[in-house]
Amino acid sequence: MSTATFAERRAALGLCVHCWLTVLLLAVLVWTSFAYLSVDLSSLFSIESGSSMARFILRFFPPDLGGEFLRRIARGTIETLAISALGTLLAAGAGVLLALPAAGRFGAALKVATRFLLNFLRSVPELVWAALMVLAAGLGPFAGTLALALHTSGVLGRLFAESLENAPPEPARALTLGGAAPALAFAYATLPLITPQLVAYSLYRWEMNIRMATVLGFVGAGGLGQMLYYELSLLHEPQACSIILAMLALVVLVDAASAWIRRRQMRSGG
Amino acid sequence: MPSGFRPQRDPDALRRAGWALAALLVLWPILRVAEFNPADLFDARNLEVMGGFLGQFFPPNLSIDFLALALKATMETLAMATAGTALAMLLAAPLGLMLSHSLSISRIGPGPGRGAGRASRALVRGVLLVLRGIPELVWALLMVRAFGLGPAAGVIAIALTYGGMLGKVYSEILESGDTRPARELLESGSGRLMAFFYGLLPGAGQELASYTIYRWECAVRASVVMGFVGAGGLGQLMDQSMKMLNGGEVSTMLAIFLLLVLLADAFSVFLRKLLA
């Protein structure tokens, strides 16, 4: 093979030295990870572990579909939805309040401080917040609501600050030049411009928070997760299976609903 | 202000008030179900527990022993995320290829295998939906029961959930780009895999890689908390410190979380730049 055809072939495949080095680096990292964890994959997929796995899975079937238990699941689902909705709502409110200083409206020092606070709020995972809130507010859905609110206000605050920074300043300037107070100018000129964005971000986070709220119960913060943890610790596998099915249904329905809304928006927008 | 000036009434006032009332009516049951009660925060017993706990946050525990333990847990967390994402890719690649319409031979023209193709795609779609529809922490809880405590359960949990997410997105990426080269290859009789490697991968490779890296970043966040259900890593250490109400250890670990998330962010931006 001549070098010309080799270069051609290389170009045709779109390969580059950079990419190969990156792939090599990643391969080394993956290999190191498996070695570090000493996870022996071959033993995980051996015959005997397969048969014990099969026995483990079979214990979950058939799921418990008794009327009384289904009613409890329905209550757990509603609780999960309420936790996520309220947590997101609180976070949206806090997000707007934090976004104002984070967008630099009250000076550079406050901007840096708020940005650090937002980064901290969002870097602590929801589940860790939940464990802390269980200490602060006791077991139950209120702790879950606070946990979601804390983490999500970090995320939303940052996104809201970005929309505030990108909002055109002219309408607000027109109102202040006309003699309006800055707060009123913000409420009637800037806020209406960014409201659609704020709502879209909040809905998107709500969708993620529904998913999250299903598992916050593992540390005692209410909802379906708390039920699942309880039933599994009593080795009630059929009950656990129905709860997992309910979680799956909830996630799938929320996914489908948000896809439907987005499609409709795209159609009406385009 | 001129003397005859009266601020005009908000013409939309009635409608706004109506909406506010409706919102309150919806909000009330939600507040009840979520047991929203801020007074709980100021309950004497809760205040005492939380106050003592927060009081210990300063100074953070920076003893060599604990830092060594935390470093080991951090490495375990990163290794869990990396190994899990690698397994997820292995799971997602074949499923994504099966699901993608742009590699479907039966869709090119009328012929045998159309029903079989449709059935297998529906099956793959269902499998991916179940894999990603069940949250990773639920998978971890189940895997801890199947494989015992430790990081292996976390790796499998990430592999399953992220395998489901990656598989779906891989197939969508393969459909969204320029699919004509692959179709051309399929029509002139090449196999599916060759059509993928020569027809789709050159165009879609970068997007596939950068989405996988983004998911690795998410996996780092997910594996931080896997330990709360017994699947190893930083979460397990955090869980222990929190159960013992050791504020100094918890504040050190919160700082590590902050660093870890910022570093994973930066590393994934760096990797994506390298690939671009």
Side-chain angles (χ1 to χ4, degrees):
Chain A
M1 192 193 298
S2 71
T3 44
T5 52
F6 180 72
E8 270 168 29
R9 282 171 67 108
R10 212 179 66 165
L13 276 171
L15 297 180
C16 57
V17 184
H18 251 83
C19 312
W20 277 116
L21 278 179
T22 317
V23 168
L24 197 69
L25 172 76
L26 292 179
V28 170
L29 281 179
V30 169
W31 184 80
T32 324
S33 303
F34 277 106
Y36 184 80
L37 295 174
S38 52
V39 174
D40 189 4
L41 284 179
S42 54
S43 77
L44 287 182
F45 297 111
S46 66
I47 308 264
E48 64 258 51
S49 102
S51 71
S52 79
M53 195 68 203
R55 253 176 291 137
F56 175 70
I57 292 173
L58 279 180
R59 272 192 288 164
F60 283 82
F61 290 95
D64 180 356
L65 296 176
E68 171 56 24
F69 192 66
L70 284 188
R71 256 195 298 282
R72 276 183 54 204
I73 288 188
R75 217 173 308 140
T77 310
I78 291 175
E79 197 172 286
T80 301
L81 283 173
I83 293 173
S84 60
L86 198 57
T88 314
L89 195 65
L90 288 174
V96 172
L97 290 182
L98 287 172
L100 284 170
R105 300 218 163 202
F106 301 112
L110 259 179
K111 176 174 173 169
V112 173
T114 332
R115 295 241 153 178
F116 179 79
L117 175 69
L118 290 176
N119 271 333
F120 174 71
L121 285 174
R122 111 195 133 86
S123 76
V124 175
E126 293 94 331
L127 205 71
V128 176
W129 277 128
L132 286 169
M133 287 305 115
V134 166
L135 289 177
L139 290 170
F142 183 45
T145 309
L146 287 178
L148 282 184
L150 283 167
H151 179 86
T152 311
S153 30
V155 178
L156 287 183
R158 201 177 82 131
L159 292 172
F160 288 0
E162 269 163 31
S163 347
L164 260 181
E165 279 174 348
N166 295 333
E170 289 85 5
R173 200 178 304 145
L175 284 191
T176 35
L177 287 179
L184 282 179
F186 171 76
Y188 285 93
T190 314
L191 207 52
L193 279 176
I194 59 171
T195 304
Q197 244 175 332
L198 304 196
V199 171
Y201 282 141
S202 306
L203 282 179
Y204 161 70
R205 278 316 293 198
W206 184 30
E207 184 189 333
M208 294 184 71
N209 280 344
I210 292 176
R211 223 180 132 85
M212 206 59 223
T214 56
V215 297
L216 285 184
F218 290 178
V219 295
L224 283 173
Q226 198 161 345
M227 279 176 78
L228 178 63
Y229 203 77
Y230 175 75
E231 299 290 348
L232 266 182
S233 62
L234 294 178
L235 298 178
H236 289 167
E237 279 95 353
Q239 280 78 7
C241 183
S242 345
I243 301 173
I244 294 175
L245 287 177
M247 288 179 173
L248 184 62
L250 185 63
V251 171
V252 169
L253 281 180
V254 168
D255 244 33
S258 93
W260 181 74
I261 290 175
R262 227 162 295 166
R263 250 203 316 277
R264 256 186 47 150
Q265 261 179 350
M266 248 156 57
R267 211 173 299 146
S268 66
Chain B
M1 200 180 285
S3 54
F5 182 83
R6 242 185 358 178
Q8 223 175 17
R9 249 192 68 215
D10 185 349
D12 218 15
L14 210 62
R15 220 171 59 115
R16 279 184 215 218
W19 276 112
L21 199 69
L24 276 181
L25 282 180
V26 174
L27 201 59
W28 181 243
I30 293 182
L31 288 173
R32 291 297 300 278
V33 172
E35 294 173 21
F36 188 78
N37 186 11
D40 277 356
L41 286 173
F42 303 102
D43 177 72
R45 218 184 32 188
N46 285 341
L47 267 185
E48 196 186 328
V49 173
M50 203 57 195
F53 184 55
L54 285 178
Q56 289 179 4
F57 267 45
F58 296 98
N61 186 343
L62 294 175
S63 70
I64 299 295
D65 286 349
F66 182 69
L67 283 184
L69 214 59
L71 182 69
K72 197 170 155 280
T74 309
M75 297 298 289
E76 200 172 271
T77 301
L78 285 173
M80 245 160 71
T82 313
T85 312
L87 284 184
M89 254 180 90
L90 282 185
L91 182 71
L95 292 177
L97 287 186
M98 275 178 77
L99 190 59
S100 176
H101 282 312
S102 36
L103 288 175
S104 161
I105 292 179
S106 59
R107 277 173 73 91
I108 287 178
R114 207 180 172 95
R118 198 173 287 166
S120 68
R121 258 194 294 280
L123 181 72
V124 169
R125 200 182 296 274
V127 169
L128 289 177
L129 190 72
V130 171
L131 286 179
R132 68 169 193 277
I134 297 179
E136 56 264 44
L137 220 58
V138 174
W139 280 123
L141 190 67
L142 294 174
M143 291 304 134
V144 164
R145 261 144 236 273
F147 298 113
L149 293 170
V155 171
I156 306 279
I158 289 183
L160 291 176
T161 317
Y162 286 68
M165 293 178 180
L166 287 177
K168 176 177 175 253
V169 175
Y170 283 176
S171 86
E172 281 170 1
I173 290 176
L174 292 182
E175 280 164 19
S176 67
D178 184 3
T179 58
R180 284 169 305 178
R183 197 183 165 104
E184 195 80 4
L185 286 171
L186 287 175
E187 277 172 354
S188 46
S190 103
R192 244 177 272 247
L193 266 185
M194 285 302 118
F196 165 68
F197 278 120
Y198 288 91
L200 287 177
L201 192 59
Q206 199 199 325
E207 204 178 337
L208 291 173
S210 94
Y211 188 78
T212 313
I213 293 167
Y214 162 70
R215 275 294 158 200
W216 171 79
E217 197 190 312
C218 300
V220 171
R221 285 164 208 260
S223 42
V224 163
V225 295
M226 285 287 176
F228 277 92
V229 294
L234 273 173
Q236 203 149 348
L237 206 56
M238 185 85 175
D239 196 30
Q240 286 162 10
S241 310
M242 221 145 14
K243 280 193 177 127
M244 291 186 298
L245 288 179
N246 190 330
E249 290 183 7
V250 171
S251 67
T252 309
M253 243 163 329
L254 289 179
I256 294 177
F257 283 175
L258 186 64
L259 274 179
L260 196 61
V261 169
L262 291 179
L263 282 180
D265 259 15
F267 186 64
S268 110
V269 169
F270 164 76
L271 270 185
R272 272 180 272 182
K273 270 216 190 98
L274 205 65
L275 285 173

